[in-house]
Structure formats: C-alpha cells, structure tokens
Amino acid sequence: MAIKRSSKIDMGGGSASQTDLIFLLLLFLMISTTLINPNALKLLLPKSSNANKEKPYTTVSITADLQYFVEMEQVSFDQLAGRLRTRLEGVEEPTISLHCDRTVPVDEVVKVMNIARDNKYKLVLATAPE
C-alpha cells in the first residue's frame, strides 16, 4: 500500500525579491561612487614609476598659472606658510602632498619645499603613474 502526501512542497523559490535587492544595491553603488570626489585640482602631474604609500595629512597644489591651493582653498604664497601651520597644528607627523602642474617652474616648487623644511613637515611630491 503506497501512502502519498496530499500537499507537496514547492522547492522553487521566487527570484523577484533577489532582482529587487540587486537593483537597489546597484543603484546605491552608482550614486555613492559619483559622490566621491578626490580632494585635488585637475593638474597634469609629472610621470613616475615610484609608488609611495605614505598618507598625506593635507595637500598643496600649484596650478599652471601659479595659483596656490591648500586642499581646495586658494591662498596667496604669503599666506601659505601660516595656513599650513594652522592646518597641521597638533599633528604628530605632519605630511604634505605637493601637487604641481608639470609646467610650473622649479623655483615655485622649491619655495614650497623650503616652507616644509623650515617647519619640519614631511613632503611628498605627487606624480601620475607611468
């Protein structure tokens, strides 16, 4: 005598909820990646194959028309040293990332290097990968 069950369990699950979750995850990732903007100006950096893993605390940028920026804030060269002092006050190992357009004269780069040396800041020259 064969005993049969009257109710069968459906083993196939609905995939509609999974597609909704994937769509929401994709939407979230697309929105969050467009909101991430690097905190730097668009400059043509010199190329280098050397990779530095030191994380700078702040950035100084010099554009092709010799405008100075600390992070995204434009400052004159006379204000640069004071702005860096207030920005790096109390930091244990202050590190500056120097972003210079490749057309900037070396004299301007050396001026910023001298400010870093006089205040005992570490200085990293930003380059583009080769």
Side-chain angles (χ1 to χ4, degrees):
M1 170 193 250
I3 301 175
K4 293 184 180 179
R5 289 189 173 178
S6 60
S7 64
K8 291 186 178 181
I9 299 173
D10 183 21
M11 297 303 283
S15 64
S17 63
Q18 290 178 345
T19 55
D20 289 345
L21 288 174
I22 291 173
F23 175 72
L24 288 174
L25 181 63
L26 180 65
L27 186 65
F28 172 74
L29 290 174
M30 287 175 57
I31 291 173
S32 64
T33 55
T34 58
L35 295 177
I36 298 172
N37 288 331
N39 199 8
L41 301 171
K42 297 211 185 264
L43 300 172
L44 294 173
L45 297 174
K47 296 191 184 290
S48 172
S49 61
N50 191 9
N52 188 0
K53 295 184 172 116
E54 181 126 14
K55 176 113 171 83
Y57 189 79
T58 190
T59 60
V60 174
S61 303
I62 306 174
T63 61
D65 55 350
L66 301 181
Q67 294 180 355
Y68 292 86
F69 290 85
V70 175
E71 299 293 332
M72 297 296 289
E73 182 182 351
Q74 185 174 359
V75 296
S76 68
F77 180 74
D78 299 331
Q79 298 170 334
L80 184 63
R83 189 66 48 103
L84 287 174
R85 259 187 241 108
T86 57
R87 177 95 171 104
L88 298 172
E89 187 176 12
V91 177
E92 202 168 302
E93 288 185 26
T95 304
I96 300 170
S97 177
L98 180 57
H99 298 254
C100 299
D101 194 274
R102 66 175 79 166
T103 60
V104 172
V106 176
D107 296 347
E108 301 300 318
V109 178
V110 171
K111 287 179 185 178
V112 177
M113 289 177 157
N114 288 337
I115 291 173
R117 185 200 60 209
D118 294 343
N119 292 295
K120 296 184 172 79
Y121 301 145
K122 287 184 182 179
L123 187 71
V124 177
L125 182 62
T127 58
E130 282 189 82

